[in-house]
């Protein structure tokens, strides 16, 4: 049996050094891998968020084009009707991050969005022929008179665009001419919550929260938000929530709760809003998003009274507020877009 008593102490210590060094390398590699994976996930989520924000930006017009392979010239964008544009925006508003990449042989399409602040946004979509889903990324944004801001966003997956892209490829079908009942601000009649169209019970009209829940249950075509109060002499642009954004907003109203009036005021941002019911009537709202809880919102109905003001016209009051958890976060992108319109007009 060999005797290890003569092995120097220093040699015994140094013999473990390579193993410790390898262990440190493995730990460092694991940390770097985690950081890389976290960064990639953030990029995927950011890419999807950019697409959703584009859809919520109060788009004034939308055009499509299929990009031919090896095209020697820029193909012309095909303008979409208001109805088709809203359908496309509803799909874009549900863009989701994905680990997948566009497939080999994918066809390419460009989307052109005209925004209310005199900006233009360009998105690129790729999909396998015949597939209903597409990989969509925001490519660039160009403001009036400025050079385009080129972006390098990771594509997000968007469902429901297949029929429209099929028509671009073949020139056949009715997807680009599909008609859907959508709100036109000029054709919706302004009413109060006691209007016969809603047939709310006295209990449902007894508080703002109960009225909100009852009105939402009757059916809503869209919710609009604007950065200020519109008047005949000073109209204010309104951004509409449709698709996933509308579904998210409606879900928050289920948790509406009555609260005391803020006294005397609250710090935050305010806006006007409207609920567009499916029977072509609209309800005007005032919304406040508190700085202390920006994900939530305080909501009140704007109601006219028969007691006219000094000029003889009906005066307006705002009902006591209801707190709607989560609504502030849902409407913020659309409100930001509406605010840009007001800023551009100043």
């Amino acid at each position: 049996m060999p005797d290890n008593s003569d092995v120097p102490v220093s040699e015994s210590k140094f013999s473990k050094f390579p193993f410790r060094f390898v262990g440190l390398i493995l730990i460092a590699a694991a940390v770097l891998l985690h950081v890389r994976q976290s960064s990639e996930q953030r990029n995927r989520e950011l890419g999807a968020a950019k697409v959703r924000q584009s859809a919520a930006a109060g788009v004034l017009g939308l055009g499509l084009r299929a990009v031919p392979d090896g095209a020697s010239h820029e193909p012309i964008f095909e303008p979409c009707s208001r109805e088709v544009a809203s359908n496309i925006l509803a799909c874009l508003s549900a863009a989701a991050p994905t680990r997948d990449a566009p497939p080999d042989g994918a066809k390419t399409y460009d989307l052109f969005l005209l925004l209310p602040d005199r900006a233009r946004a360009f998105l690129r979509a790729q999909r396998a022929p015949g597939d209903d889903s597409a990989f969509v990324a925001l490519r660039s944004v160009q403001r009036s008179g400025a050079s385009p801001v080129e972006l390098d966003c990771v594509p997000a997956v968007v469902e429901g665009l297949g029929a429209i892209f099929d028509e671009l490829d073949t020139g056949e079908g009715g997807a680009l001419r599909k008609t859907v009942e959508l709100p036109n601000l000029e054709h919706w009649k302004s009413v109060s919550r006691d209007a016969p169209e809603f047939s709310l019970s006295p209990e449902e009209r007894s508080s703002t929260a109960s009225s909100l829940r009852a009105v939402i249950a009757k059916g809503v075509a869209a919710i609009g938000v604007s950065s200020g109060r519109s008047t005949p002499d000073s109209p204010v642009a309104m951004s509409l929530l449709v698709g996933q954004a509308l579904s998210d907003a409606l879900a928050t109203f289920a948790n509406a709760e009555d609260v005391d009036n803020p006294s005397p005021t609250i710090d935050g941002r305010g806006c006007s809003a409207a609920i567009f019911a499916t029977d072509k009537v609209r309800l005007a709202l005032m919304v406040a998003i508190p700085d202390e809880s920006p994900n939530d919102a305080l909501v009140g109905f704007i109601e006219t009274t028969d007691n006219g003001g000094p000029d003889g016209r009906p005066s307006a009051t705002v009902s006591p507020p209801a707190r709607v958890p989560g609504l502030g976060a849902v409407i913020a992108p659309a409100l930001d877009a509406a605010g840009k319109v007001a800023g551009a007009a100043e």
Side-chain angles (χ1 to χ4, degrees):
M1 181 174 181
D3 184 4
N4 294 330
S5 60
D6 295 334
V7 178
V9 174
S10 59
E11 181 180 341
S12 176
K13 290 182 177 180
F14 278 110
S15 67
K16 299 178 181 179
F17 177 76
F19 298 100
R20 292 176 179 173
F21 184 71
V22 171
L24 291 175
I25 292 177
L26 292 176
I27 292 173
V31 171
L32 290 175
L33 179 61
H34 173 72
V35 170
R36 178 179 179 182
Q37 290 177 338
S38 299
S39 176
E40 290 175 348
Q41 180 61 24
R42 284 195 299 270
N43 289 338
R44 287 191 290 267
E45 292 174 352
L46 180 61
K50 290 291 186 183
V51 175
R52 294 194 300 267
Q53 290 168 4
S54 299
V59 176
L60 299 179
L62 191 151
L64 296 173
R65 65 182 181 183
V67 181
D69 296 333
S72 59
H73 64 279
E74 284 292 297
I76 298 174
F77 280 100
E78 181 166 349
C80 295
S81 68
R82 172 184 170 84
E83 292 78 14
V84 172
S86 294
N87 293 340
I88 295 173
L89 294 176
C91 294
L92 296 178
S93 71
T98 179
R99 294 178 178 271
D100 297 331
D104 295 335
K107 296 186 68 65
T108 301
Y109 311 84
D110 283 342
L111 291 82
F112 165 82
L113 276 60
L114 178 62
L115 307 180
D117 56 350
R118 295 196 290 263
R120 293 171 290 172
F122 295 89
L123 292 85
R124 172 148 290 181
Q126 293 179 285
R127 67 144 189 169
D131 201 337
D132 194 47
S133 62
F135 295 85
V136 182
L138 180 63
R139 295 181 62 205
S140 67
V141 176
Q142 182 176 7
R143 304 199 179 279
S144 180
S147 299
V149 177
E150 300 295 337
L151 304 172
D152 186 21
C153 294
V154 176
V157 65
V158 175
E159 304 288 346
L161 297 177
I164 292 173
F165 288 156
D166 285 342
E167 184 169 338
L168 285 176
D169 293 338
T170 64
E172 300 177 355
L176 294 179
R177 291 169 293 279
K178 182 178 179 181
T179 59
V180 177
E181 187 73 20
L182 291 171
N184 184 325
L185 305 189
E186 297 178 355
H187 298 161
W188 249 247
K189 174 186 174 184
S190 262
V191 299
S192 60
R193 55 178 163 161
D194 59 359
E197 287 88 347
F198 292 116
S199 63
L200 300 185
S201 67
E203 182 180 358
E204 290 170 332
R205 294 198 306 268
S206 64
S207 74
T208 299
S210 60
S211 295
L212 285 172
R213 291 192 293 267
V215 168
I216 295 302
K218 300 288 184 182
V220 174
I223 292 177
V225 295
S226 60
S227 58
R229 292 284 302 276
S230 293
T231 66
D233 298 329
S234 180
V236 177
M238 177 169 282
S239 292
L240 294 179
L241 303 180
V242 295
Q244 188 61 47
L246 175 61
S247 298
D248 292 342
L250 295 179
T252 66
F253 283 104
N255 299 316
E257 55 185 7
D258 293 305
V259 295
D260 294 332
N261 273 309
S263 180
T265 58
I266 61 171
D267 293 326
R269 61 191 303 191
C271 69
S272 59
I275 294 175
F276 293 87
T278 52
D279 51 2
K280 294 214 179 247
V281 294
R282 60 183 288 184
L283 284 167
L285 306 171
M286 284 297 292
V287 178
I289 302 176
D291 286 343
E292 63 180 9
S293 55
N295 289 335
D296 306 331
L298 298 176
V299 180
F301 290 98
I302 300 176
E303 299 173 322
T304 58
T305 64
D306 294 332
N307 299 325
D311 55 1
R313 292 187 294 184
S315 60
T317 61
V318 180
S319 69
R323 178 177 173 271
V324 183
L327 181 61
V330 175
I331 68 175
L335 182 57
D336 290 341
K340 293 176 184 176
V341 180
E346 291 176 356

